[in-house]
């Protein structure tokens, strides 16, 4: 990712400096007005927009002049705003920063954009866009003294507040004096508040989040530890003609307000229209009204055109003097409270908690707890009693922890209520005293060594009666939280130990000398890094692991070479120790035949894939015996063998010798029927011609056939083939068509291959 840095200095000093590191170049830009700043930033963005995931980072501080700071952000660019910029927006429908394009504008930690105007016109905003820009506040602050902190008016735009991001509309009291902290007007808009993000309206006339516009179907998601805080009006307002907005709340998120009568924390306004409907899903967290208005209200007003489908399947929806959920007479609305949800309000029955009108459908099922407290009965109660408590299903009693403990199936918990005096139950108080040490600790201060205290308290809780368990639900919840924290600390400690272990394993990798052991070690490291939830260790020393993975190929090559060298050395020993038995002159008496015999013998050895090449050294043909030298003169074939395999080093054996025994002289016998007419019987030419012998013409001059022709087929004698010139072809019968000579011992014949 390329990074570009723009450094803004005080405009009062009439100097602005910015630098951008892009393509290994640094750009320094100066300017004296908001227009100059915009011109210079946009020039840098335009130059950078050709590369993917380009980031422009802005830091420093400035006080704006009378003009908007207009930034054009292409889709492939993110502007990270770490600067502080304040401006008194002194004209209607103007903003401190105006965003164009389809890229991302992100306010990061340390950054802020503040509209300091005190004008009561709520069209003077801090950040605004009419383009499909993605606005993200991951840290720092976006603040409006009047108007909206963030105002969007485009199909496709989105707003995200996460990390420690804070968005606030800080107008003074008075209806209409301030705009919304986030105001999404028109088209499809996604708003996501997560992490520790916080959106707050501190003006009585403002909303924290307001979505409106014709036909919009924007989504609002509030999760993790996010906070949405309102005052006397609407904390979240879902409006718009024929609109279908969706609100989803989960995790430990809190949406809270102190609405006046006629307002609500989550307010579905009448202008949703005949074809519009709001969808509200409470999966976790808390939606709470501390004022006279409901926590959730669907207000069709005259004409009955607002409708909502409200599902509470987790978390808590609670109110005080107002209703928890109010659905004014509307046959297109539905309320479903189920699973482990809790709905609580002040009153004496279901009609004080959820209005089951004649037309709106209300369903309570599963382990949902629906509870009311008749606060007209005073503030003093005895622990374990149910005085002044109404429950639609399940059990609820007073707890000395300062509220109502409830249980419905698998759903149990505690509803804290300020200002109560609860006389403790003796047995419940004994449990608290017995485990005072651990119950007195906050989750943030608990340590791993506290595990025995927590497990002992939980074991004692399990032995209590159901009535006592219900009184001590708050304590049980705290013990569960402490145990979860201890387990998290144990996991963190184990992970730290694992990091140390993996560090050691990685340090040892470079000392591992074999590829097989290195592969096994890296595999073990990879497995251990991937065993952790969230893959916390996956990125640990990735570069070093890749270096060692690259070394595997080098090790494998060296190992293969070593193996090849070992095979060559073993083959050399075998060849040098092999027996090359003497051969007869009558069978082998040419260098080619002698070499073929040496190759045959070597081929019978187990050389483990080593290639053996016979190299001629010397050859001496045997001379047959004569009457003067009956034994004849023996011949020999001397040779060496070149041995190769793979990447191993070539070796050559010591010289070996194949002895050739001369044919002894045999005196002629006068009584033999087969006495040749001349010369020796072995070398006498044939006197006749047949299919297996040469004719008396040109074939009669073939050297191999110029001898007697006894019957072919002597057993135990090697067969050798020649061409008609008498040149040996080896022991394998030729495959090419033609006429050849076949010799088996002393017997020869002519053959035709067709």
């Amino acid at each position: 990712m390329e990074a570009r840095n723009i450094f803004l200095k005080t405009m009062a000093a009439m100097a602005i400096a910015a630098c951008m590191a892009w393509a290994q170049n640094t750009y320094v830009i100066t300017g004296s007005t908001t227009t100059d700043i915009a011109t210079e930033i946009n020039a840098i963005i335009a130059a950078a927009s050709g590369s993917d995931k380009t980031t422009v980072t802005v830091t420093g501080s400035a006080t704006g002049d009378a003009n908007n700071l207009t930034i054009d952000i292409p889709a492939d660019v993110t502007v990270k705003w770490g600067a502080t910029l304040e401006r008194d927006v002194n004209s209607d429908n103007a903003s401190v920063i105006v965003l164009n394009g389809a890229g991302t504008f992100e306010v990061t930690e340390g950054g802020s954009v503040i509209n300091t105007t005190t004008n009561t016109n709520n069209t003077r905003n801090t950040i605004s866009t009419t383009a499909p820009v993605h606005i993200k506040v991951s840290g720092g602050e976006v603040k409006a003294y009047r108007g909206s902190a963030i105002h969007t008016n485009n199909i496709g735009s989105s707003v995200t507040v996460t990390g420690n991001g804070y968005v606030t509309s800080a107008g003074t009291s008075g209806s209409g004096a301030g705009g919304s902290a986030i105001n999404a007007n028109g088209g499809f808009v996604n708003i996501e508040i997560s992490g520790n993000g916080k959106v707050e309206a501190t003006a009585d006339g403002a909303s924290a989040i307001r979505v409106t516009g014709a036909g919009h179907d924007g989504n609002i998601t509030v999760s993790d530890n996010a906070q949405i805080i309102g005052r006397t009006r609407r904390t979240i307002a879902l409006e718009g003609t024929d609109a279908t907005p969706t609100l989803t709340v989960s995790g430990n998120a809190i949406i809270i307000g102190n609405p006046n009568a006629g307002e609500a924390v989550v307010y579905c306004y009448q202008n949703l229209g005949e074809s519009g409907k709001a969808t509200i899903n409470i999966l976790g967290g808390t939606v709470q009204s501390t004022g006279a208005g409901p926590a959730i209200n669907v207000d069709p007003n005259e004409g009955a055109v607002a409708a909502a489908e409200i599902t509470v399947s987790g978390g808590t929806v609670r109110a005080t003097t107002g209703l928890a959920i109010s659905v004014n007479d509307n046959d297109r609305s539905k309320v479903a409270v189920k699973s482990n949800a809790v709905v609580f309000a002040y009153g004496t029955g279901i009609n004080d908690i959820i209005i089951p009108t004649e037309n709106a459908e209300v369903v309570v099922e599963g382990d949902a707890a629906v509870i009311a407290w008749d606060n007209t009965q005073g503030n003093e109660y005895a622990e374990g009693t149910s005085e002044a408590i109404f429950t639609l299903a399940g059990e609820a009693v007073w707890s000395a922890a300062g509220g109502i403990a409830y249980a419905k199936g698998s759903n149990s918990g505690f509803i804290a209520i300020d200002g109560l005096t609860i006389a403790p139950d003796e047995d419940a108080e004994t449990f608290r005293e017995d485990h005072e040490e651990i119950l007195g600790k906050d989750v943030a201060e608990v340590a791993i060594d506290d595990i025995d205290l927590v497990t002992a308290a939980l074991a004692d809780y399990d032995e209590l009666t159901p009535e006592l368990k219900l009184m001590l639900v708050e304590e049980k919840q705290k013990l569960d939280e402490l145990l979860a924290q201890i387990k998290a600390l144990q996991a963190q400690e184990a992970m730290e130990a694992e990091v140390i272990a993996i560090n050691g394993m990685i340090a040892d990798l470079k000392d591992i000398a074999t590829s097989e052991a290195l592969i096994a070690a890296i595999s073990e490291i990879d497995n251990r890094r991937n065993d952790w939830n969230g893959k916390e260790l996956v990125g640990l020393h990735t570069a070093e692991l890749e270096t060692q993975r690259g070394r595997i190929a080098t090790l494998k090559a060296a190992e293969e070479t070593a193996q090849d060298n070992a095979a060559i050395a073993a083959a050399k020993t075998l060849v040098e120790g092999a027996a090359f038995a003497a051969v007869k002159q009558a069978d082998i008496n040419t260098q080619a035949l002698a070499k073929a015999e040496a190759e045959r013998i070597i081929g019978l050895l187990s050389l483990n894939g080593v290639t053996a090449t016979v190299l001629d050294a010397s050859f001496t043909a045997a001379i047959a015996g004569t009457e003067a030298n009956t034994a004849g003169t023996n011949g020999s074939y001397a040779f060496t063998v070149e041995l190769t395999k793979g990447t191993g080093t070539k070796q050559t054996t010591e010289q070996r010798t194949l002895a050739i025994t001369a044919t002894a002289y045999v005196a002629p016998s006068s009584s033999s029927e087969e006495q040749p007419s001349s010369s020796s019987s072995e070398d006498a030419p044939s006197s006749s011609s047949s299919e297996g012998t040469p004719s008396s013409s040109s074939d009669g001059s073939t050297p191999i056939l110029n001898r007697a022709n006894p019957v072919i087929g002597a057993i135990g004698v090697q067969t050798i083939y020649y061409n008609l010139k008498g040149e040996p072809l080896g022991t394998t019968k030729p495959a090419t068509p033609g006429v050849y000579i076949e010799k088996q011992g002393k017997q020869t014949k002519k053959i035709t291959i067709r």
Side-chain angles (χ1 to χ4, degrees), residues 130-210:
T130 57
V133 174
H134 304 285
I135 301 173
K136 184 175 182 180
V137 183
S138 59
E141 178 183 40
V142 179
K143 182 176 182 179
Y145 281 80
R146 292 288 193 273
S148 296
I150 297 176
H151 179 83
T152 70
N153 190 3
N154 184 272
I155 296 175
S157 62
S158 67
V159 178
T160 299
V161 182
T162 188
N164 294 312
Y166 181 43
V167 178
T168 176
S169 175
T172 56
S173 62
S175 179
S180 304
I182 298 175
N183 186 38
N185 182 18
F188 181 93
V189 176
N190 284 324
I191 299 173
E192 179 180 352
I193 318 298
S194 62
N196 294 313
K198 183 176 180 180
V199 179
E200 183 174 14
T202 58
D204 285 337
S207 295
I209 298 175
R210 176 176 179 261

Side-chain angles (χ1 to χ4, degrees), residues 614-668:
V614 176
L615 304 176
D616 299 331
S618 65
F619 174 77
T620 301
I623 302 174
T626 64
E627 189 173 358
N629 179 19
T630 58
T633 302
N634 292 333
S636 66
Y637 171 60
F639 61 93
T640 59
V641 181
E642 182 181 270
L643 302 167
T644 59
K645 183 180 182 183
T647 58
T649 301
K650 177 176 63 179
Q651 292 196 48
T652 302
T653 66
E654 63 183 18
Q655 186 171 288
R656 303 302 314 277
T657 300
L658 177 69
I660 304 173
T661 304
T663 302
Y665 173 76
V666 178

Side-chain angles (χ1 to χ4, degrees), residues 423-441:
D425 176 85
E426 183 176 346
D427 292 332
E429 194 65 12
T430 298
F431 178 87
R432 296 186 185 102
E433 291 172 356
D434 289 345
H435 302 287
E436 180 180 7
E437 181 180 358
I438 191 63
L439 289 173
K441 291 195 175 186

Side-chain angles (χ1 to χ4, degrees), residues 30-119:
T30 61
S32 58
T33 67
T34 303
T35 301
D36 289 339
I37 297 174
T39 299
E40 293 162 352
I41 293 177
N42 289 328
I44 292 173
I45 293 172
S49 62
S51 57
D52 292 337
K53 298 182 180 179
T54 299
T55 299
V56 176
T57 301
V58 181
T59 61
S61 62
T63 302
D65 59 16
N67 298 310
N68 299 332
L69 175 60
T70 302
I71 305 176
D72 298 319
I73 310 176
D76 57 356
V77 173
T78 295
V79 173
K80 287 184 175 287
W81 186 272
T84 60
L85 176 61
E86 294 187 13
R87 178 188 163 206
D88 180 351
V89 178
N90 55 11
S91 61
D92 296 347
N93 300 310
S95 302
V96 178
I97 295 179
V98 175
L99 302 173
N100 295 324
T104 299
F105 182 86
E106 179 179 355
V107 179
T108 59
E109 202 70 41
S112 65
V113 185
I114 301 174
N115 174 11
T116 61
T117 186
T118 57
N119 189 286

Side-chain angles (χ1 to χ4, degrees), residues 281-283 310-315 334-343 363-370 411:
N281 295 311
I282 311 300
L283 309 177
I310 303 166
T311 303
V312 186
S313 56
K334 177 180 179 180
V335 178
V337 182
K338 55 186 181 180
S339 300
N340 290 331
V342 179
V343 179
V363 175
V364 179
E365 59 188 8
D367 289 339
V370 179
N411 183 16

